[in-house]
């Protein structure tokens, strides 16, 4: 493969870890010239036990870089930005914090009918405005900044970077807007879930103007280890703080999501808990009203895309719009 004339000059690889030793193994296959670290969160605590051990494992990517390499770090995450002191590489930070080297400012998420958009300014040596059609959420902004940093390292013209970012299309299961029944709008974020990503999704939905009610349909988040109860409680509390009109919690551990939302002040009459996903789908379908904005999110194993298939306006488009629609996944 390496001898092929059309072999790519640049490889962009995801160094995904699940357990101790994974990062060292991946780095033994491909040593990086640019290391990007986006978050250090609760995911994988089932195997790492503490968030500091997750940081230690992910940080190996940054510590392995040489003096001529680059570390691209999310300044908004303290556990990520502190790794700048632990690498020999050049460092470029990004985020919404004013101390970040590459900043996002004037962030706005908007909705017109079924169309959505993110607008923000990227501030580095100058200010460049960017509008991303079909994409919303702080994770979208952060990913765009990280990508822009890599472009800058390769000395790509800023206008070319913006032009390329505008070509990004919504990905199934990642904050994708789908028309729902009875004139509702579904925000499909069913690809996966952690406390951090779920709270980010809730924050985004709160910032989108909505004519109808805001409904959060949230299921269990896996691999949280001894942070399982705390993580689910954090999510329920945030849903209440943001003033969601209805919360539907699905799964064994999501009991704590529902309980925490009530404790945080959400009207108990608007908090519903189901152990069974299909029962939750039937309840939701019978509850939808015109112009409702419905966030659906959960870990992969909860298969929350099946709820969306039951409430979307055109279920015949499920294979096109939803995640995990290949034959093998549909059997699970």
């Amino acid at each position: 493969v390496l001898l092929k004339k059309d072999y790519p000059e640049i490889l962009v690889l995801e160094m995904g870890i699940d357990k101790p030793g994974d990062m060292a193994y991946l780095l033994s296959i491909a040593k990086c010239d640019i290391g990007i670290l986006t978050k250090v969160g609760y995911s994988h605590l089932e195997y790492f036990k503490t968030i500091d051990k997750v940081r230690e494992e992910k940080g190996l990517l940054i510590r392995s870089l040489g003096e001529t390499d680059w570390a691209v770090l999310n300044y908004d995450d303290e556990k990520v930005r502190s790794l700048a002191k632990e690498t020999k590489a050049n460092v470029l930070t990004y985020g919404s914090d004013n101390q970040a080297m590459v900043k996002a400012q004037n962030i706005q998420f908007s909705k017109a009918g079924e169309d959505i958009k993110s607008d923000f300014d990227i501030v580095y040596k100058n200010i460049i405005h960017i509008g991303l059609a079909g994409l919303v959420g702080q994770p979208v902004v952060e990913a765009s900044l990280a990508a822009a940093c890599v472009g800058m390292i390769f000395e790509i013209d800023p206008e070319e970077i913006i032009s390329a970012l505008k070509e990004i299309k919504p990905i199934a299961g990642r904050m994708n807007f789908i028309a729902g029944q009875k004139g509702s709008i579904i925000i499909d974020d069913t690809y996966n879930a952690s406390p951090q990503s779920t709270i980010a999704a809730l924050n985004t939905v709160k910032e989108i103007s909505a004519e109808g009610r805001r409904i959060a349909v949230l299921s269990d988040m896996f691999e949280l280890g001894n942070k399982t109860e705390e993580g689910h409680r954090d999510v329920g509390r945030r849903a209440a703080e943001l003033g969601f009109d209805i919360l539907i919690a699905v799964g064994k551990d999501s009991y704590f999501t529902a309980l925490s939302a009530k404790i945080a002040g959400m009207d108990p009459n608007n908090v519903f808990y189901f152990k069974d996903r299909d029962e939750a789908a039937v309840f939701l379908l019978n509850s939808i009203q015109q112009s409702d904005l419905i966030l659906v999110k959960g870990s992969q194993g909860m298969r929350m895309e099946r709820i969306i298939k039951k409430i979307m306006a055109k279920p015949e488009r499920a294979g096109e719009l939803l995640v995990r629609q290949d034959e093998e996944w549909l059997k699970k």
Side-chain angles (χ1 to χ4, degrees), residues 248-275:
I248 299 174
V250 184
K252 176 176 67 70
D253 295 324
S254 290
Y255 166 80
F256 297 110
T257 303
L259 179 63
S260 180
K262 293 176 185 177
I263 293 173
M266 196 168 182
D267 186 344
N269 294 317
N270 294 331
V271 179
F272 304 91
Y273 170 68
F274 297 90
K275 287 185 178 179

Side-chain angles (χ1 to χ4, degrees), residues 191-324:
Y191 178 79
N192 211 347
S194 67
Q196 289 89 342
S197 68
T198 302
I199 289 172
L202 291 168
N203 290 341
T204 298
V205 174
K206 178 61 177 180
E207 292 182 36
I208 300 171
S209 59
E211 299 170 2
R213 303 174 299 176
R214 288 184 176 84
I215 300 174
V217 186
L218 309 175
S219 74
D220 286 358
M221 300 169 288
F222 297 156
E223 297 184 10
L224 300 183
N226 59 12
K227 294 287 187 178
T228 295
E229 180 177 336
E230 178 183 335
H232 286 83
R233 284 182 178 273
D234 287 347
V235 165
R237 184 183 310 111
R238 189 56 179 160
E241 290 171 350
L242 291 172
F244 271 73
D245 298 289
I246 293 175
L247 171 63
I248 299 174
V250 184
K252 176 176 67 70
D253 295 324
S254 290
Y255 166 80
F256 297 110
T257 303
L259 179 63
S260 180
K262 293 176 185 177
I263 293 173
M266 196 168 182
D267 186 344
N269 294 317
N270 294 331
V271 179
F272 304 91
Y273 170 68
F274 297 90
K275 287 185 178 179
D276 182 80
R277 179 192 59 229
D278 294 331
E279 288 181 10
V282 171
F283 173 81
L284 177 60
L285 182 60
N286 292 330
S287 304
I288 294 174
Q289 297 179 9
Q290 182 76 25
S291 300
D292 281 345
L293 192 59
I294 308 168
L295 170 67
V296 185
K297 187 167 179 64
S299 276
Q300 287 190 25
M302 292 300 293
R303 300 299 304 279
M304 293 294 280
E305 70 273 12
R306 291 181 171 172
I307 286 184
I308 293 182
K309 187 172 182 178
K310 291 182 182 296
I311 65 171
M312 59 194 296
K314 296 181 179 179
E316 66 273 13
R317 295 187 64 194
E320 170 193 351
L321 298 176
L322 303 186
V323 71
R324 293 182 285 270

Side-chain angles (χ1 to χ4, degrees), residues 30-275:
K31 182 186 179 304
C32 300
D33 301 296
I34 299 175
I36 306 171
L37 193 50
T38 57
K39 293 278 187 182
V40 173
Y42 288 155
S43 298
H44 317 307
L45 279 187
E46 181 179 354
Y47 302 103
F48 288 99
K49 306 305 180 186
T50 70
I51 197 166
D52 286 333
K53 289 183 178 179
V54 175
R55 178 189 181 276
E56 182 70 17
E57 184 76 16
K58 289 190 173 187
L60 182 57
L61 170 64
I62 305 304
R63 290 190 293 272
S64 71
L65 298 169
E67 293 180 0
T68 61
D69 299 331
W70 283 86
V72 178
L73 305 175
N74 180 1
Y75 193 91
D76 294 342
D77 186 318
E78 189 277 330
K79 291 187 179 299
V80 172
R81 73 169 178 260
S82 62
L83 283 163
K85 302 175 183 177
E86 300 178 25
T87 183
K88 292 178 282 187
N90 303 288
V91 174
L92 194 57
T93 61
Y94 68 89
S96 299
D97 192 289
N98 280 331
Q99 297 302 310
M101 298 177 185
V102 180
K103 293 183 282 291
Q105 295 182 342
N106 302 318
I107 302 170
Q108 291 186 325
F109 307 128
S110 58
K111 180 177 76 73
E114 295 178 19
D115 296 324
I116 57 171
K117 186 180 181 185
S118 294
D119 284 282
F120 55 97
D121 295 328
I122 296 180
V123 182
Y124 184 43
K125 294 179 180 178
N126 52 15
I127 299 175
I128 303 176
H129 180 77
I130 180 169
L132 300 177
L135 299 164
V136 293
Q138 190 64 27
V140 170
V141 176
E142 292 174 356
S144 299
L145 289 176
C149 286
V150 175
M152 293 167 186
I153 290 169
F154 283 104
E155 298 182 347
I156 298 174
D157 183 90
E159 292 297 338
E160 286 188 52
I161 294 173
I162 298 302
S163 179
L165 288 173
K166 287 181 177 179
E167 295 298 316
I168 298 173
K169 304 299 180 187
I171 301 172
R174 301 287 186 101
M175 295 298 286
N176 199 12
F177 273 47
I178 297 174
Q181 295 197 27
K182 303 177 186 176
S184 63
I185 296 293
I186 304 164
I187 303 178
D188 173 14
D189 204 24
T190 56
Y191 178 79
N192 211 347
S194 67
Q196 289 89 342
S197 68
T198 302
I199 289 172
L202 291 168
N203 290 341
T204 298
V205 174
K206 178 61 177 180
E207 292 182 36
I208 300 171
S209 59
E211 299 170 2
R213 303 174 299 176
R214 288 184 176 84
I215 300 174
V217 186
L218 309 175
S219 74
D220 286 358
M221 300 169 288
F222 297 156
E223 297 184 10
L224 300 183
N226 59 12
K227 294 287 187 178
T228 295
E229 180 177 336
E230 178 183 335
H232 286 83
R233 284 182 178 273
D234 287 347
V235 165
R237 184 183 310 111
R238 189 56 179 160
E241 290 171 350
L242 291 172
F244 271 73
D245 298 289
I246 293 175
L247 171 63
I248 299 174
V250 184
K252 176 176 67 70
D253 295 324
S254 290
Y255 166 80
F256 297 110
T257 303
L259 179 63
S260 180
K262 293 176 185 177
I263 293 173
M266 196 168 182
D267 186 344
N269 294 317
N270 294 331
V271 179
F272 304 91
Y273 170 68
F274 297 90
K275 287 185 178 179

Side-chain angles (χ1 to χ4, degrees), residues 11-17 23 26 32 36 44 61 174 191:
L11 297 177
V12 182
L13 308 174
E14 179 183 10
M15 301 299 209
I17 62 166
M23 185 62 76
L26 293 171
C32 300
I36 306 171
H44 317 307
L61 170 64
R174 301 287 186 101
Y191 178 79

